Short mmCIF file of all heavy atoms in Angstrom, two decimals:
data_model
loop_
_atom_site.label_atom_id
_atom_site.label_comp_id
_atom_site.label_asym_id
_atom_site.label_seq_id
_atom_site.Cartn_x
_atom_site.Cartn_y
_atom_site.Cartn_z
N ASP A 30 5.75 12.74 14.90
CA ASP A 30 6.65 11.71 14.39
C ASP A 30 5.90 10.38 14.31
O ASP A 30 5.46 9.84 15.31
CB ASP A 30 7.86 11.60 15.31
CG ASP A 30 8.86 10.57 14.83
OD1 ASP A 30 8.98 10.41 13.60
OD2 ASP A 30 9.52 9.95 15.67
N LEU A 43 9.54 -10.52 4.66
CA LEU A 43 9.02 -11.37 3.59
C LEU A 43 10.14 -12.12 2.88
O LEU A 43 9.95 -13.26 2.45
CB LEU A 43 8.25 -10.53 2.56
CG LEU A 43 6.88 -10.03 2.99
CD1 LEU A 43 6.39 -8.95 2.05
CD2 LEU A 43 5.89 -11.18 3.07
N ALA A 46 11.31 -15.22 4.84
CA ALA A 46 10.19 -16.14 5.05
C ALA A 46 10.14 -17.11 3.88
O ALA A 46 10.28 -16.70 2.73
CB ALA A 46 8.88 -15.37 5.18
N PHE A 50 2.58 -19.60 4.39
CA PHE A 50 2.04 -19.24 5.70
C PHE A 50 2.92 -18.19 6.38
O PHE A 50 2.42 -17.23 6.97
CB PHE A 50 1.90 -20.47 6.59
CG PHE A 50 1.38 -20.14 7.97
CD1 PHE A 50 0.04 -19.85 8.16
CD2 PHE A 50 2.24 -20.07 9.05
CE1 PHE A 50 -0.44 -19.51 9.42
CE2 PHE A 50 1.78 -19.73 10.31
CZ PHE A 50 0.43 -19.46 10.50
N GLN A 53 2.39 -14.95 4.61
CA GLN A 53 1.07 -14.45 4.97
C GLN A 53 1.12 -13.82 6.35
O GLN A 53 0.53 -12.75 6.58
CB GLN A 53 0.06 -15.60 4.96
CG GLN A 53 -1.32 -15.20 5.42
CD GLN A 53 -2.27 -16.37 5.48
OE1 GLN A 53 -2.22 -17.27 4.64
NE2 GLN A 53 -3.15 -16.37 6.46
N MET A 58 0.94 -9.13 9.94
CA MET A 58 1.54 -8.32 11.00
C MET A 58 1.86 -6.91 10.50
O MET A 58 1.73 -5.94 11.24
CB MET A 58 2.77 -9.03 11.55
CG MET A 58 2.37 -10.31 12.31
SD MET A 58 3.72 -11.41 12.76
CE MET A 58 4.75 -10.38 13.76
N PHE A 60 0.11 -5.29 8.21
CA PHE A 60 -1.19 -4.61 8.15
C PHE A 60 -1.61 -4.17 9.55
O PHE A 60 -2.09 -3.04 9.73
CB PHE A 60 -2.24 -5.53 7.52
CG PHE A 60 -3.59 -4.90 7.38
CD1 PHE A 60 -3.77 -3.78 6.59
CD2 PHE A 60 -4.69 -5.43 8.03
CE1 PHE A 60 -5.02 -3.19 6.44
CE2 PHE A 60 -5.94 -4.85 7.89
CZ PHE A 60 -6.11 -3.73 7.10
N GLU A 68 -4.05 4.50 13.95
CA GLU A 68 -4.94 4.76 15.08
C GLU A 68 -4.26 5.67 16.10
O GLU A 68 -4.87 6.62 16.60
CB GLU A 68 -5.35 3.45 15.75
CG GLU A 68 -6.36 2.67 14.95
CD GLU A 68 -6.68 1.31 15.55
OE1 GLU A 68 -6.50 1.13 16.78
OE2 GLU A 68 -7.11 0.42 14.79
N MET A 74 -3.92 13.37 16.94
CA MET A 74 -4.51 14.50 16.21
C MET A 74 -5.77 15.01 16.92
O MET A 74 -6.09 16.19 16.81
CB MET A 74 -4.86 14.08 14.78
CG MET A 74 -3.65 13.89 13.91
SD MET A 74 -4.00 13.15 12.28
CE MET A 74 -5.26 14.23 11.64
N ALA A 81 -13.66 16.67 18.99
CA ALA A 81 -13.10 15.71 18.04
C ALA A 81 -12.77 14.41 18.75
O ALA A 81 -12.15 14.39 19.79
CB ALA A 81 -11.84 16.28 17.41
N ASP A 89 -9.03 4.93 2.68
CA ASP A 89 -8.37 6.14 2.20
C ASP A 89 -7.14 6.49 3.02
O ASP A 89 -6.24 7.19 2.54
CB ASP A 89 -9.33 7.33 2.20
CG ASP A 89 -10.41 7.21 1.14
OD1 ASP A 89 -10.20 6.46 0.16
OD2 ASP A 89 -11.45 7.86 1.28
N LEU A 92 -4.01 3.25 2.18
CA LEU A 92 -3.20 3.25 0.96
C LEU A 92 -1.99 4.18 1.07
O LEU A 92 -0.86 3.74 0.79
CB LEU A 92 -4.04 3.59 -0.27
CG LEU A 92 -3.29 3.60 -1.60
CD1 LEU A 92 -2.67 2.25 -1.90
CD2 LEU A 92 -4.22 4.02 -2.73
N SER A 105 12.14 -4.80 -3.10
CA SER A 105 12.05 -4.83 -4.56
C SER A 105 11.26 -6.02 -5.10
O SER A 105 10.79 -5.99 -6.22
CB SER A 105 13.45 -4.82 -5.17
OG SER A 105 14.15 -5.98 -4.76
N HIS A 110 6.50 -11.88 -3.76
CA HIS A 110 6.05 -12.40 -2.46
C HIS A 110 4.52 -12.51 -2.43
O HIS A 110 3.97 -13.50 -1.95
CB HIS A 110 6.52 -11.50 -1.32
CG HIS A 110 8.00 -11.46 -1.16
ND1 HIS A 110 8.77 -12.57 -0.91
CD2 HIS A 110 8.87 -10.42 -1.20
CE1 HIS A 110 10.04 -12.23 -0.80
NE2 HIS A 110 10.12 -10.93 -0.99
N TYR A 117 0.10 -20.19 -3.68
CA TYR A 117 0.32 -21.42 -2.93
C TYR A 117 -0.40 -21.50 -1.59
O TYR A 117 -0.27 -22.48 -0.87
CB TYR A 117 1.82 -21.65 -2.73
CG TYR A 117 2.52 -21.86 -4.04
CD1 TYR A 117 3.32 -20.87 -4.58
CD2 TYR A 117 2.32 -23.03 -4.76
CE1 TYR A 117 3.95 -21.07 -5.80
CE2 TYR A 117 2.94 -23.23 -5.98
CZ TYR A 117 3.76 -22.24 -6.49
OH TYR A 117 4.36 -22.42 -7.71
N ARG A 119 -4.05 -21.76 0.10
CA ARG A 119 -5.43 -22.04 -0.29
C ARG A 119 -6.30 -20.81 -0.03
O ARG A 119 -6.22 -20.20 1.04
CB ARG A 119 -5.95 -23.24 0.48
CG ARG A 119 -5.24 -24.51 0.08
CD ARG A 119 -5.92 -25.79 0.52
NE ARG A 119 -6.81 -25.70 1.63
CZ ARG A 119 -6.65 -26.34 2.79
NH1 ARG A 119 -5.59 -27.09 2.99
NH2 ARG A 119 -7.54 -26.23 3.75
N ILE A 141 3.84 3.54 -6.89
CA ILE A 141 5.26 3.84 -6.73
C ILE A 141 5.99 3.62 -8.05
O ILE A 141 6.81 4.44 -8.46
CB ILE A 141 5.88 2.98 -5.61
CG1 ILE A 141 5.30 3.39 -4.25
CG2 ILE A 141 7.40 3.09 -5.61
CD1 ILE A 141 5.60 2.40 -3.13
N ASN A 146 10.46 7.54 -12.88
CA ASN A 146 11.26 8.56 -13.57
C ASN A 146 10.80 9.96 -13.22
O ASN A 146 10.90 10.88 -14.02
CB ASN A 146 11.19 8.33 -15.08
CG ASN A 146 11.76 7.00 -15.46
OD1 ASN A 146 12.76 6.57 -14.90
ND2 ASN A 146 11.12 6.32 -16.40
N ARG A 150 11.06 14.08 -15.23
CA ARG A 150 9.89 14.66 -15.85
C ARG A 150 9.73 16.13 -15.47
O ARG A 150 10.01 16.52 -14.35
CB ARG A 150 8.65 13.86 -15.45
CG ARG A 150 8.72 12.43 -15.96
CD ARG A 150 7.76 11.51 -15.31
NE ARG A 150 6.39 11.83 -15.64
CZ ARG A 150 5.37 11.36 -14.96
NH1 ARG A 150 5.55 10.58 -13.94
NH2 ARG A 150 4.15 11.68 -15.30
N PHE A 155 4.25 15.97 -15.71
CA PHE A 155 3.60 15.37 -14.54
C PHE A 155 2.13 15.77 -14.48
O PHE A 155 1.26 14.94 -14.28
CB PHE A 155 4.32 15.78 -13.26
CG PHE A 155 3.73 15.16 -12.02
CD1 PHE A 155 4.07 13.87 -11.65
CD2 PHE A 155 2.82 15.86 -11.25
CE1 PHE A 155 3.52 13.28 -10.53
CE2 PHE A 155 2.25 15.28 -10.12
CZ PHE A 155 2.61 13.99 -9.76
N SER A 162 -4.74 10.59 -16.12
CA SER A 162 -5.16 9.56 -15.18
C SER A 162 -6.52 9.90 -14.57
O SER A 162 -7.39 9.04 -14.47
CB SER A 162 -4.11 9.40 -14.08
OG SER A 162 -4.54 8.49 -13.13
N GLY A 168 -13.81 8.15 -16.89
CA GLY A 168 -14.37 7.60 -18.11
C GLY A 168 -14.23 8.49 -19.32
O GLY A 168 -14.81 8.19 -20.36
N THR A 174 -6.98 9.70 -29.69
CA THR A 174 -6.62 8.29 -29.66
C THR A 174 -7.81 7.37 -29.39
O THR A 174 -7.74 6.18 -29.65
CB THR A 174 -5.55 8.01 -28.59
OG1 THR A 174 -6.11 8.27 -27.30
CG2 THR A 174 -4.31 8.84 -28.83
N GLY A 175 -8.88 7.91 -28.81
CA GLY A 175 -10.03 7.10 -28.45
C GLY A 175 -9.82 6.30 -27.17
O GLY A 175 -10.63 5.48 -26.80
N GLY A 177 -8.76 6.05 -22.94
CA GLY A 177 -8.92 6.76 -21.68
C GLY A 177 -7.64 7.01 -21.00
O GLY A 177 -6.59 6.64 -21.37
#
Side-chain angles (χ1 to χ4, degrees):
D30 181 32
L43 286 166
F50 178 76
Q53 175 184 324
M58 292 169 59
F60 182 62
E68 286 175 25
M74 289 171 54
D89 289 339
L92 181 60
S105 62
H110 295 301
Y117 296 107
R119 292 195 338 242
I141 292 167
N146 298 321
R150 296 164 68 196
F155 182 82
S162 176
T174 65

